[in-house]
Amino acid sequence: MSVEANALVAHCDELSDAIAEFRGSVPVTQRWGEELAAVLGGGGRLLAAGNGGSAAQAQHLTAEIVGRYRADRPPFSALALHADTSSTTAIANDYGVDEVFARQVRAHGRPGDVLMLLSTSGASANLLSAADAGRAAGLRVWALTGPAPNPLLAGSDEALCVAAGSTATVQELHLVAVHMVCEAFDAALDGTHGRSHG
């Protein structure tokens, strides 16, 4: 087996080990999905943000909420804060990169809304500022991060920290977490609709 192939197998092995440990996060992702269903079902909003690959994961989450995860259902309000390029570049230019998400949280967030922040390092200054802005505005601040401890864990109301050595594996587990939250979100909506018609 070549050196390159060995590296690929090692990546799969790391992912396998990390996901086995991450199974213990089911109760948290289930509760997040259920709470998100209650917030969005009551007219609230999900705000999500990340940098780089984590921005893609945040936008994946909001797409599943606005569109659908599995079965057809009504759309719900969810915004990926990095996706508004005019706002992000204007804020970065006028106020600095650290304010890119925080200013949007103050603009769009309302008490009781949910702010989901994704960071492999858990140390991105613009996400820490967003967490501060979210808590000050009365939002629930949840974070998906890499290994604990990290500043975003400390700055959030609740966090899931992936215990993996590589950024790639952390991001892969963040996608698993996003899908777990969406699964629980849809199940909670089905339960609410079932009770309302029962």
Side-chain angles (χ1 to χ4, degrees):
M1 188 177 290
S2 68
V3 173
E4 292 82 4
N6 283 333
L8 300 179
V9 169
H11 179 87
C12 290
D13 289 344
E14 181 185 5
L15 178 58
S16 179
D17 292 344
I19 201 164
E21 183 173 339
F22 198 71
R23 288 172 65 100
S25 302
V26 166
V28 176
T29 55
Q30 180 176 357
R31 182 165 34 80
W32 282 6
E34 291 169 352
E35 291 181 13
L36 193 59
V39 170
L40 273 56
R45 175 177 288 165
L46 169 66
L47 306 179
N51 295 296
S54 296
Q57 302 283 31
Q59 194 163 350
H60 188 122
L61 172 60
T62 59
E64 302 281 26
I65 299 298
V66 176
R68 68 184 178 108
Y69 177 61
R70 288 191 191 270
D72 189 34
R73 57 155 169 73
F76 293 91
S77 182
L79 299 174
L81 299 181
H82 64 277
D84 183 348
T85 55
S86 294
S87 289
T88 56
T89 53
I91 294 166
N93 186 62
D94 294 342
Y95 298 97
V97 175
D98 289 359
E99 280 294 302
V100 162
F101 300 132
R103 192 166 179 85
Q104 292 185 78
V105 168
R106 289 190 287 271
H108 299 302
R110 301 294 180 265
D113 285 350
V114 174
L115 174 63
M116 177 78 86
L117 302 172
L118 294 85
S119 173
T120 57
S121 69
S124 301
N126 56 9
L127 296 177
L128 296 172
S129 295
D132 290 344
R135 289 197 323 277
L139 281 72
R140 305 177 201 197
V141 180
W142 299 339
L144 291 173
T145 77
N150 62 70
L152 192 54
L153 165 63
S156 302
D157 295 315
E158 193 168 8
L160 279 178
C161 303
V162 175
S166 71
T167 297
T169 300
V170 171
Q171 288 177 337
E172 288 158 353
L173 267 293
H174 284 179
L175 179 56
V176 172
V178 162
H179 284 167
M180 290 165 73
V181 169
C182 290
E183 189 82 48
F185 176 82
D186 282 6
L189 290 174
D190 285 346
T192 300
H193 294 158
R195 287 193 298 272
S196 66
H197 297 298

